[in-house]
Amino acid sequence: MSANDLDFERCYRAVATRDARFDGQFVTAVRTTGIYCRPSCPAITPKRANVTFLPTAAAAQQHGFRACRRCLPDAAPGSPLWNTRADLASRAMRLIGDGVIERGGVPALADALGYSQRQLTRVLTNELGAGPLALARAHRAHTARLLIQTTRLPMSDIAFAAGFASIRQFNDTVREVFAVSPTTLRDESRRRDGDTLPATNGLLTLRLPYREPLDKSWLEWFLSAHTVPGLELWENGVYTRSLRTPHGHTTIRLSIQPGHVRATLSLQDMRDLAPTVARVRHFLDLDADPIGIDEAMAAGMAGNAVHVGDPGDATALPAGIRVPGCLDGPELLLRTMIGQQISVAAANTHTARLVQSLGESIAGPIPHLFPTAETVAERGSEVLTGPGRRIDAIVGAAKALATGDLVLHSGRTAGDLRRDLLALDGVGPWTADYVSMRLLADPDVLLHSDLVVRRGAGLLDIDLADTARWSPWRSYLSMHLWKHALAHPSEANRRTLQ
């Protein structure tokens, strides 16, 4: 939803009804108070004549509005538009969330997207109401507020961790965005929530909100079924793993709770907070619009006599299904190639052997990081087992990643990424589609050649050659079919044999 496309009446109805579904999709700027809010803010609904709707918090800040300290608009789930759209602005927002500007400035962002800095700034300003620096500044303000309100870190450390160039810049930004000093922001939080902040020492516990409903059982099955010993741990509903981050590595512990995901992060470097949170949100698809997706699923299923989200119907498809993303692009590709044409359990075993032999050893509950592409390219053939052609394909993909011939990041277009993946030896359409779906959070990938998806389609009498009515949500259709087949294995096998 660009700055020019916001429908005033639709937005105002969302604000008048305090519809949380629209949190993160736009902000409400109130001219009489100089404050901007999320649509579900519990404050009295402002008069029509006094409001302006803007697509991002950065746009509101550019216009001189300050964030509401009651509804905390920066803490809303992210906009699902950054995934459903594939234009330049959306791809830029994904990379900004990953901290590209903090690490390399606007030139690094422009280079990753293949545009000039001038053209990138023009497009972002037109579409989102703010240029790349202003958008990155809004992200820094959000990170700063998180650290101010959830840790005992000194303000000087918070300024550094949030990506500010100086203490003065940090103080000025917090005052401008929240209309109070950093110290006052922390004092307000303590009075509201109690002075219960633990000592930090690099350990943070955060509540990552999502739009309900959410199919918890599906995400938990996916996490537990794909857990690789030595790299990941699934225990008592908590997923734990370590991953490389721009300034070191981070250990994450995730558990799905009503309305939020509890995330405990053990950070080597506090500067990695924002990109780690962005990756976790992408990994669990926390910014999806489940109501809109479920409505589209139900409309498409109408001719198949299948209900979506009806808790009283045991045969109904569940509400709020998510498409798992990824935490690291190169790891996703190599793990997917290892798992081609073998069971999930076998893939976990092969991957665990690779991790144990070539992964970097670290201290903590998870003993290894996934090996780098450079290491797999150099020594993968010594460790990987199975058909020689598959081993050569995996090592070849690692070499392409190591040399930069293949680049995997969330700012790529689906068409370009799929083309580059299919150019690799040993990568077919299923692998290219699966990696694109999870890396880019592409909502419209139908895994039509997947055996389990085909079994699910057979159970529900869905013709996989005729799925246009579910576009642009066919990735979610794939997950529904996948889950349905796994939930009815005997029936799926019987249908397959007929």
Side-chain angles (χ1 to χ4, degrees):
M1 197 178 297
S2 73
N4 299 320
D5 292 338
L6 290 172
D7 184 308
F8 185 93
E9 289 301 323
R10 183 168 180 254
C11 292
Y12 194 81
R13 284 196 300 272
V15 171
T17 58
R18 295 178 174 81
D19 192 338
R21 172 181 168 181
F22 293 91
D23 286 355
Q25 300 198 39
F26 66 87
V27 296
T28 306
V30 185
R31 289 186 288 271
T32 50
T33 62
I35 291 174
Y36 70 91
C37 303
R38 62 168 79 188
S40 67
C41 182
I44 296 173
T45 302
K47 295 179 180 179
R48 289 172 176 267
N50 297 333
V51 298
T52 298
F53 298 112
L54 298 167
T56 61
Q61 294 167 22
Q62 283 279 90
H63 285 77
F65 294 94
R66 61 185 185 275
C68 174
R69 300 203 300 278
R70 184 175 182 183
C71 71
L72 298 174
D74 66 311
S79 175
L81 298 176
W82 310 146
N83 292 337
T84 57
R85 288 169 34 173
D87 57 13
L88 175 61
S90 302
R91 292 186 288 118
M93 284 298 292
R94 294 199 290 266
L95 292 179
I96 290 171
D98 196 47
V100 169
I101 288 182
E102 274 67 31
R103 297 191 293 274
V106 177
L109 178 65
D111 183 62
L113 295 167
Y115 285 78
S116 69
Q117 296 181 55
R118 180 178 180 181
Q119 188 176 15
L120 176 63
T121 300
R122 178 180 58 79
V123 171
L124 293 183
T125 301
N126 181 61
E127 290 290 314
L128 306 178
L133 287 176
L135 291 164
R137 177 177 176 269
H139 274 276
R140 286 195 292 272
H142 169 52
T143 303
R145 182 190 61 76
L146 270 178
L147 294 172
I148 290 168
Q149 295 185 330
T150 62
T151 76
R152 294 182 184 273
L153 280 173
M155 296 299 178
S156 57
D157 290 349
I158 290 176
F160 172 71
F164 290 97
S166 67
I167 298 294
R168 180 176 180 178
Q169 185 188 62
F170 162 72
N171 287 328
D172 289 347
T173 298
V174 171
R175 285 194 180 95
E176 184 176 341
V177 173
F178 300 105
V180 293
S181 69
T183 300
T184 301
L185 197 60
R186 175 171 282 175
D187 289 342
E188 287 180 348
S189 177
R190 288 179 176 178
R191 286 195 298 270
R192 182 178 64 248
D193 303 326
D195 189 9
T196 58
L197 298 180
T200 304
N201 298 324
L203 188 68
L204 294 175
T205 298
L206 306 175
R207 294 164 57 98
L208 307 182
Y210 58 78
R211 296 177 182 85
E212 296 191 271
L214 179 142
D215 185 359
K216 179 180 177 180
S217 65
W218 171 244
L219 279 181
E220 290 190 336
W221 174 86
F222 196 94
L223 294 175
S224 61
H226 293 84
T227 295
V228 171
L231 177 68
E232 301 160 302
L233 177 66
W234 175 264
E235 191 173 46
N236 299 323
V238 179
Y239 172 79
T240 306
R241 70 158 291 168
S242 295
L243 63 145
R244 284 187 182 80
T245 47
H247 303 96
H249 68 264
T250 296
T251 298
I252 61 174
R253 295 175 180 83
L254 309 174
S255 62
I256 302 172
Q257 308 294 328
H260 71 277
V261 169
R262 178 183 173 89
T264 301
L265 314 178
S266 179
L267 300 155
Q268 268 196 324
D269 191 311
M270 294 300 288
R271 288 176 295 175
D272 289 330
L273 172 62
T276 300
V277 169
R279 292 178 191 183
V280 169
R281 297 195 66 85
H282 167 67
F283 180 48
L284 300 180
D285 196 16
L286 299 185
D287 294 324
D289 175 12
I291 295 177
I293 294 167
D294 288 347
E295 289 175 350
M297 289 294 108
M301 294 289 184
N304 299 80
V306 177
H307 301 289
V308 177
D310 184 354
D313 186 349
T315 64
L317 300 183
I321 203 165
R322 295 301 204 267
V323 177
C326 74
L327 293 166
D328 181 84
E331 176 187 325
L332 171 65
L333 174 60
L334 296 178
R335 287 179 64 169
T336 302
M337 294 182 71
I338 290 171
Q340 289 179 138
Q341 299 183 347
I342 60 177
S343 68
V344 172
N348 292 343
T349 299
H350 284 275
T351 305
R353 186 182 300 118
L354 181 73
V355 168
Q356 185 175 11
S357 300
L358 302 183
E360 178 184 343
S361 298
I362 57 174
I366 304 299
H368 296 100
L369 296 172
F370 192 83
T372 63
E374 292 79 3
T375 301
V376 176
E378 181 180 351
R379 299 186 53 204
S381 57
E382 304 171 13
V383 177
L384 292 166
T385 60
R389 189 172 179 180
R390 186 179 70 180
I391 295 173
D392 291 343
I394 295 168
V395 172
K399 288 179 180 177
L401 290 165
T403 59
D405 291 338
L406 175 63
V407 177
L408 299 181
H409 61 64
S410 60
R412 300 208 60 187
T413 66
D416 287 347
L417 176 61
R418 194 174 190 275
R419 179 201 63 215
D420 290 352
L421 290 172
L422 289 174
L424 296 173
D425 289 337
V427 172
W430 182 91
T431 299
D433 288 341
Y434 182 78
V435 171
S436 297
M437 179 183 72
R438 294 191 60 191
L439 177 65
L440 305 181
D442 188 332
D444 202 26
V445 175
L446 179 67
L447 299 176
H448 57 84
S449 63
D450 184 273
L451 178 60
V452 180
V453 169
R454 294 178 70 85
R455 287 175 176 172
L459 289 174
L460 297 174
D461 295 323
I462 290 174
D463 181 1
L464 292 179
D466 181 24
T467 59
R469 61 187 180 277
W470 284 288
S471 184
W473 306 114
R474 285 179 286 191
S475 296
Y476 294 88
L477 175 63
S478 296
M479 296 302 101
H480 273 300
L481 299 179
W482 204 348
K483 180 176 182 179
H484 196 72
L486 292 171
H488 303 84
S490 59
E491 177 66 11
N493 289 333
R494 185 182 68 79
R495 291 287 189 97
T496 302
L497 293 173
Q498 287 180 343

